[in-house]
């Protein structure tokens, strides 16, 4: 029962509404990761390496193949062997900090802006990876590269990452193609590149940038973060829409435009997804109201694919 | 307006703009939202702009329609032509006015009945269907004023009784005016505050009635006012084309008077018009006469005349001679064969037949011992040779000095023969006045004839003074010096044959007979100062020289002048043989012929009013010779349907006029206090009159005169009535108590005044009133004509011209359609909701 309660307590931090009440990003990341891991019912991230690290007592859910039978014979208790995992993944997060990512806070009590949600996702994943001794880097950009932290496997690196995410205040337009090209040149060793953005930019240019990563054999994951409002367009009554990133203003009756708008959004997402698939890029559309495990699962799936690929190459 | 509450409808109609106003207001109210995904929004607008506009327009129209239907529903829509096919509920209280045209053209035959009978049947059906909760009024076009209404606006509590009364209705003989009746309908509807209003007009709508522009304008104005009042107008058209209709268009006495046994018969003019569509041949015109014979009134047929042919639209005139044998009242009746409209096939002409023309001769040289020396010797024998009136003239000779003793009004002609002058006296202001001359002027002005011969007695001071009166008196020209010497017979003048005017009494000298002027020799005459003639004033007409002498100045010999309604003939020589030999010219006898004809030319004409169009009242005063009548009755043409009338006081006539003025003042919006005071004074005056209280009566009449004077700036008719009252009061107000008939003529035919006079048999005095022949033009105006006259097509037209029972005999009943409006409203609401959701305007 106690275990169940702990699990429920931790998984609640996957909910963005709950998470929005926690102001510190590092704390958010830790809670998300712990919640996420506790929800998996097993610990898949230990014991995959060849170098023994230590024993720990068996807990329910552990794979019995890792039980050290010798120790069991000696002590009559179940211990499983833990190994030091090697750092075999270099992940770099590209976090969009353009003005459009600011949408979402206005008029909501417990909502996250797209930027906050994206930062939470990136921090959580970074924290997770660092715990597994993977190297994590970060690039925060708008129309220019604002912050770039090269990948590091130092567990304390998470503080630098979180700090970099927190100090950036989105206010400018996006220019992703250039950023992608420049980052592709900066990241020397192949690894995993995760773009967290609303993708309100030139899609063809973005794809050309992502193809650059693919050219250097990076695994590329696109986490397309959109606000729930942007996906459902729930507005009523005459509204003046004031465009972010200098896209003008428009006074309309939203209900009349809803269907056409949703069709446009769906067409856009489908197009992006189609192009990503065509370039062997993992694509995941995430709403800011989605629990964060969706993003984490998607990322892990991509990471597993990357690990498998790197292992195959080795 | 097909609404019980039109005000609500108009308010609702105004609210139809509400969705538009809300839309415009909403455009000013919006919230502001910072938005990232503008590209999708712009994309959506770009793709859907046209669709959005159409959808918004559809929704706007639907919402406006919803409000419109709501207004119709709340205002309680009572239907229009398009809703006839729908069943409907019964409306609330209604006010219905029926206008029934009872002009005589409605008497056009239709099978065994008439158009009027068909309209009356429809009216009965309509009345029977009016519930007791509704109010109805029935107006006849022959009685257009509200106080004459057949049935004024009220609930029909005794339906059977009313239907019986309607059943008794017959077409009148009057040509009616629809606009006046519409005015009354407007006044009736003015009194209606709530409920729906409907007006039925049942008429034959003849083209001739709707051809006059003024008439059309009036009807159009009335119709517009009715529509403004929210009255729904239902026009029931009974007009039918005619197959045959002859009309006695005109019948009248062509002569000025009729004399019994006159050698020259009286001439009756008659014209018959063919109002049918085809030529009519061998038209029989039957003549009947009613005249005095053997001291009583007898009727007799005068046979028939035949008109060979009358083309469509053509009028043919006839002249019928008529010689009554005895003096008294007579009527000649003209009858045509019965046709489709019998009302215009009969006409009458009434006349007062005189025994002889009474001529008063004032002789300036009368000599009883030597009659031949009298100035009147030849004159009286020329016009009345036997002294018995056998030649149509009855001469009575008086000496000029006895002018004070004669009553001019008893005579048809007055002759002044060599009269010196008239007696004069000084009035209280010291001015010289000639009372008898004034009486003579009044006599001539009222229609009497005056013939004047001059002579040596003629006093220039009188002739050029009061008789000339500066050119506006009875004498047309000033008298100059005498020309010629009566003693020198070898020096004479003659009538210039070229100067003989074309007048009836000088026809003896006309044309080739002009040479007869050479038979007459004038040894002396008065040279008239022609140039001194004054311009004619209102009473005296311009002098006309009818013959001239052959002197060097071509002096006027005979001059005529119209004076008021009478005529004056001035001869500037003697009537005796003193200054000429005309009386003793026996070769041709021109003297006799000229004077006989001159009497006819001058004699007082028959008074107007014997023969008139219907509508002109029959007025007859029991004065003069009939003052002593011991009994009097007026029998109307449709006796015994209408009872005899007894003479009323002349005051009644004035009272009727005063009441009419009071009505008009009330209509014109003059203060009610004035009108009430007038009516109260009138009531008191009647009381005094009945009570023979002359002093009190006069005082009340004076008060009425004052009240009328105060109001005369409001209406011209007030002034007329006040003047009439003034005249009565000033001249002989006691005469107001005289007996007098004043009968409005509502029926065509012969009106008889039956008099009982002591020592005489009953005497009849006949008057004729004829229908207006224009009504005989039966071509219907049709729907187009009616629409033109009404100035709008906003009425319900019911075609009753074919008289098919199942044709549109029943107009849409008085029903309400709010249920349908409600259904339509709900349907529209559903459609609006559906489309609103479909278009994405509703979540």
């Amino acid at each position: 029962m106690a275990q169940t309660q702990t699990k429920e307590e931790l998984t609640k931090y996957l909910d963005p509404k709950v998470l929005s009440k926690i102001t510190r990003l590092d704390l958010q990341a830790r809670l998300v990761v712990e919640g996420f891991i506790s929800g998996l019912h097993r610990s898949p991230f230990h014991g995959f390496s060849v170098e023994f690290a230590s024993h720990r007592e068996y807990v329910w859910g552990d794979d019995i193949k890792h039980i050290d039978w010798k120790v069991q014979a000696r002590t009559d208790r179940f211990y499983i062997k833990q190994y030091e995992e090697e750092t075999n993944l270099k992940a770099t997060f590209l976090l969009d900090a353009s003005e459009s990512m600011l949408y979402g806070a206005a008029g909501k009590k417990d909502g996250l802006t797209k930027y906050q949600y994206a930062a939470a996702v990136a921090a959580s994943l970074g924290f997770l990876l660092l715990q597994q001794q993977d190297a994590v880097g970060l690039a925060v950009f708008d129309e220019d590269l604002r912050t770039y932290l090269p990948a590091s496997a130092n567990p304390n690196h998470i503080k630098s990452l979180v700090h970099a995410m927190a100090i950036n205040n989105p206010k400018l337009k996006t220019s992703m193609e250039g950023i992608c090209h420049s980052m592709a040149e900066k990241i020397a060793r192949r690894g995993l590149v995760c773009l967290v953005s609303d993708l309100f930019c030139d899609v063809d240019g973005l794809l050309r940038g992502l193809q650059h990563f693919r050219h250097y054999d990076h695994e590329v994951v696109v986490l397309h973060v959109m606000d729930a409002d942007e996906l459902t367009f729930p507005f009523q009554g005459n509204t003046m829409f004031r465009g972010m990133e200098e896209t003008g203003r428009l006074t309309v009756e939203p209900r009349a435009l809803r269907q056409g708008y949703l069709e446009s959004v769906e067409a856009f997402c489908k197009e992006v997804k189609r192009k990503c698939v065509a370039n062997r890029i993992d694509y995941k559309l995430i709403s800011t109201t989605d629990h964060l495990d969706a993003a984490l699962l998607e990322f892990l799936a991509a990471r597993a694919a990357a690990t498998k690929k790197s292992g195959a190459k080795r | 307006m097909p609404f019980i509450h039109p005000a609500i409808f108009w308010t609702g109609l105004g609210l139809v703009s509400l969705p538009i106003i809300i839309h415009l207001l909403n455009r000013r109210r919006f919230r502001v939202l910072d938005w990232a995904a503008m590209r999708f929004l712009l994309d959506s607008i770009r793709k859907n702009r046209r669709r959005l506009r159409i959808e918004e327009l559809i929704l706007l129209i639907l919402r406006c329609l919803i409000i419109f239907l709501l207004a119709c529903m709340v205002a309680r829509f009572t239907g229009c032509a398009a809703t006839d096919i729908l069943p409907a509920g019964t409306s609330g209280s209604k006010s219905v006015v029926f206008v029934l045209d009872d002009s005589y053209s409605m008497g056009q035959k239709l099978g065994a009945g008439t158009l009027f009978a068909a309209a009356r049947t429809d009216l009965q059906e309509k009345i029977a269907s009016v519930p007791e909760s509704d109010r109805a009024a029935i107006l006849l076009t022959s009685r257009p004023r509200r106080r004459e209404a057949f049935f004024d606006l009220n609930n029909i509590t005794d339906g059977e009784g009313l239907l019986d009364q309607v059943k008794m209705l017959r077409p009148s003989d009057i040509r009616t005016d629809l606009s006046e009746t519409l005015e009354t309908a407007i006044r009736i509807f003015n009194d209606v505050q709530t409920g729906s209003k409907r007006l039925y007009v049942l008429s034959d709508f003849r083209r001739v009635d709707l051809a006059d522009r003024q008439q059309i304008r009036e009807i159009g104005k009335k119709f517009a006012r009715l529509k403004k009042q929210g009255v729904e107008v239902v026009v029931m058209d009974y007009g039918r084309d005619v197959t045959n209709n002859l009309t006695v268009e005109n019948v009248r006495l062509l002569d000025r008077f009729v004399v019994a046994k006159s050698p020259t018969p009286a001439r009756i003019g008659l014209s018959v018009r063919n109002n049918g569509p085809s030529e009519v041949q061998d038209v029989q015109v039957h003549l009947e006469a009613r005249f005095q014979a053997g001291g009583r009134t007898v009727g007799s047929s005068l046979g028939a005349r035949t008109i060979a042919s009358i083309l469509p639209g053509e009028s043919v005139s006839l002249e019928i001679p008529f010689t009554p044998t005895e003096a008294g009242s007579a009527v000649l009746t003209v009858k045509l064969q019965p046709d489709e409209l019998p009302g215009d096939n009969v006409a009458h002409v009434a006349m007062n037949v005189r025994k002889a023309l009474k001529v008063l001769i004032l002789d300036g040289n009368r000599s009883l011992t030597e009659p031949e020396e009298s100035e009147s010797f030849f004159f009286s024998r020329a016009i009345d040779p036997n002294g018995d009136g056998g030649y149509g003239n009855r001469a009575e000779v008086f000496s000029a000095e006895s002018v004070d003793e004669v009553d001019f009004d008893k005579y048809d002609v007055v002759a002044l023969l060599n009269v010196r002058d008239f007696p004069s006296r000084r009035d209280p202001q010291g001015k010289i006045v000639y009372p008898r001359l004034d009486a003579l002027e009044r006599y001539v002005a009222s229609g009497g004839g005056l013939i004047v011969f001059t002579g040596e007695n003629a006093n220039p001071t009188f002739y050029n003074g009061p008789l000339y009166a500066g050119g506006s008196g009875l004498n047309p020209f000033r008298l100059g010096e005498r020309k010629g010497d009566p003693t020198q017979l070898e020096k004479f003048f003659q009538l210039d044959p070229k100067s003989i005017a074309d007048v009836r009494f000088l026809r003896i000298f006309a044309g080739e007979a002009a040479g007869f002027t050479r038979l007459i020799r004038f040894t002396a005459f008065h040279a008239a100062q022609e140039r001194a003639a004054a311009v004619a004033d209102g009473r005296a007409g311009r002098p006309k020289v009818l013959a001239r002498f052959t002197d060097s100045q071509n002096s006027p010999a005979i001059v005529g002048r119209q004076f008021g309604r009478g005529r004056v003939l001035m001869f500037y020589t003697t009537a005796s043989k003193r200054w000429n030999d005309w009386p003793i010219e026996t070769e041709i006898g021109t003297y006799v012929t000229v004077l006989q004809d001159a009497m006819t030319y001058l004699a007082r004409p028959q008074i107007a009013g014997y023969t008139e169009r219907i509508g002109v009242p029959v007025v007859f005063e029991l004065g003069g010779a009939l003052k002593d009548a011991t009994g009097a009755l007026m029998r109307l043409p449709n006796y015994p349907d209408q009872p005899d009338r007894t003479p009323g006081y002349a005051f009644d006539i004035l009272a009727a006029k005063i009441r009419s003025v009071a009505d008009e003042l009330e209509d014109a919006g003059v203060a009610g206090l004035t009108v009430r005071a007038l009516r109260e004074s009138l009531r008191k005056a009647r009381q005094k009159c009945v009570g023979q209280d002359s002093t009190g009566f006069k005082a009340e009449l004076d008060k009425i005169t004052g009240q009328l004077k105060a109001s005369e700036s409001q209406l011209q008719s007030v002034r007329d009535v006040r003047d009439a009252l003034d005249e009565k009061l000033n001249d002989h107000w006691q005469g107001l108590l005289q007996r007098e008939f004043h009968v409005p003529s509502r029926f065509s035919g012969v009106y008889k005044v039956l008099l009982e006079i002591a020592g005489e048999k009953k005497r009849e005095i006949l008057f004729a009133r004829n229908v207006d022949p224009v009504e005989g033009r039966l071509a219907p105006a049709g729907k187009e004509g009616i629409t033109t006259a009404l100035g709008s097509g906003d009425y319900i037209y019911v075609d009753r011209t074919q008289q098919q029972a199942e044709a549109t005999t029943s107009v849409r009943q008085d029903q309400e359609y709010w249920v349908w409006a409600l259904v339509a409203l709900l349907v529209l609401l559903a459609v609006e909701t559906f489309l609103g959701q479909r278009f994405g305007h509703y979540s």
Side-chain angles (χ1 to χ4, degrees), chain A residues 114-139:
Chain A
K114 285 192 285 186
Y115 181 76
Q116 288 169 333
Y117 188 91
V121 168
S124 303
L125 289 173
F127 185 70
L128 186 66
L129 291 175
L130 284 172
Q131 278 199 328
Q132 297 179 164
Q133 286 79 43
D134 287 334
V136 178
L138 174 70

Side-chain angles (χ1 to χ4, degrees), chain A residues 11-272:
Chain A
T11 52
K12 75 180 181 185
Y13 293 109
L14 295 172
D15 185 349
K17 287 182 182 174
V18 180
L19 203 62
S20 66
K21 293 170 184 167
I22 301 163
T23 52
R24 280 180 55 192
L25 191 55
D26 55 340
L27 191 57
Q28 277 183 11
R30 195 166 64 80
L31 289 168
V32 167
V33 171
E34 286 174 357
F36 172 66
I37 290 168
S38 69
L40 288 177
H41 305 296
R42 65 191 188 108
S43 306
F45 303 110
H46 285 273
F48 302 116
S49 186
V50 292
E51 193 173 333
F52 175 78
S54 63
H55 284 97
R56 78 168 163 79
E57 199 167 3
Y58 173 79
V59 293
W60 186 85
D62 287 342
D63 195 341
I64 56 171
K65 72 180 182 182
H66 297 303
I67 294 174
D68 191 341
W69 297 107
K70 290 178 181 173
V71 175
Q72 191 274 334
R74 278 201 301 273
T75 62
D76 201 21
R77 299 175 74 170
F78 293 109
Y79 285 92
I80 61 170
K81 288 188 273 189
Q82 285 186 311
Y83 302 91
E84 281 290 338
E85 242 181 359
E86 287 180 0
T87 299
N88 55 7
L89 183 67
K90 189 172 181 180
T92 305
F93 291 93
L94 304 182
L95 182 59
D96 183 0
S98 64
E99 191 188 1
S100 65
M101 291 293 284
L102 267 185
Y103 181 80
K108 294 182 182 177
K109 285 181 187 175
D110 48 6
L112 293 172
T113 64
K114 285 192 285 186
Y115 181 76
Q116 288 169 333
Y117 188 91
V121 168
S124 303
L125 289 173
F127 185 70
L128 186 66
L129 291 175
L130 284 172
Q131 278 199 328
Q132 297 179 164
Q133 286 79 43
D134 287 334
V136 178
L138 174 70
V140 182
F141 64 93
D142 41 42
E143 62 185 6
D144 213 347
L145 186 61
R146 295 294 162 201
T147 308
Y148 173 60
L149 298 173
S152 166
N154 187 339
N156 288 328
H157 189 53
I158 188 66
K159 291 180 181 172
S160 305
L161 296 178
V162 165
H163 177 70
M165 290 179 206
I167 61 166
N168 274 296
N169 184 24
K171 57 188 172 187
L172 295 173
K173 292 164 73 176
T174 324
S175 175
M176 286 199 189
E177 185 180 0
I179 298 297
C180 287
H181 287 309
S182 114
M183 286 304 299
E185 295 302 327
K186 281 185 179 173
I187 303 171
R189 185 183 159 191
R190 72 172 181 274
L192 188 141
V193 175
C194 179
L195 173 65
V196 191
S197 168
D198 55 10
L199 303 186
F200 291 163
C201 61
D202 175 25
V203 176
D204 291 332
L206 170 67
L207 261 296
R208 282 193 296 275
L210 294 178
Q211 279 168 353
H212 200 161
F213 287 117
R214 291 293 301 146
H215 178 73
Y216 287 119
D217 220 9
H218 293 293
E219 282 301 316
V220 180
V221 177
V222 174
L223 295 178
H224 186 182
V225 179
M226 286 191 76
D227 193 90
D229 290 351
E230 292 171 339
L231 291 171
T232 56
F233 205 62
F235 307 110
Q236 293 185 6
N238 265 7
T239 309
M240 178 196 274
F241 291 95
R242 205 157 53 188
M244 293 170 157
E245 300 189 24
E246 301 171 14
T247 47
R249 56 180 61 189
L250 197 62
T251 306
V252 290
E253 163 56 59
R255 284 180 299 208
L257 290 170
R258 184 169 180 271
Q259 192 177 357
Y261 171 87
L262 293 179
E263 284 171 2
S264 289
V265 170
E266 189 182 356
F268 172 77
C269 293
K270 276 186 178 172
E271 187 195 0
V272 174

Side-chain angles (χ1 to χ4, degrees), chain B residues 185-254:
Chain B
I186 289 168
R187 289 185 183 162
I188 289 174
F189 284 125
N190 274 341
D191 296 341
V192 178
Q193 303 301 326
T194 58
S196 62
K197 303 169 192 173
R198 178 172 289 177
L199 171 69
Y200 287 91
V201 184
L202 300 87
S203 173
D204 52 359
F205 296 103
R206 302 296 176 181
R207 193 183 300 158
V208 69
D209 292 328
L210 303 178
D212 180 53
R213 285 189 180 177
Q214 177 67 23
Q215 179 90 350
I216 288 178
R217 201 175 302 127
E218 285 300 317
I219 292 175
K221 279 183 191 170
K222 306 285 171 16
F223 180 73
R225 283 169 62 193
L226 283 165
K227 297 308 291 180
K228 202 173 175 184
Q229 284 180 316
V231 179
E232 185 183 41
V233 178
V234 180
V235 169
M236 300 181 74
D237 184 7
Y238 296 83
R240 284 166 60 91
D241 277 317
V242 67
T243 53
N244 65 326
N245 184 38
L246 291 173
T247 303
V248 180
E249 196 170 44
N250 192 11
V251 57
R252 64 190 175 94
L253 182 64
L254 297 177

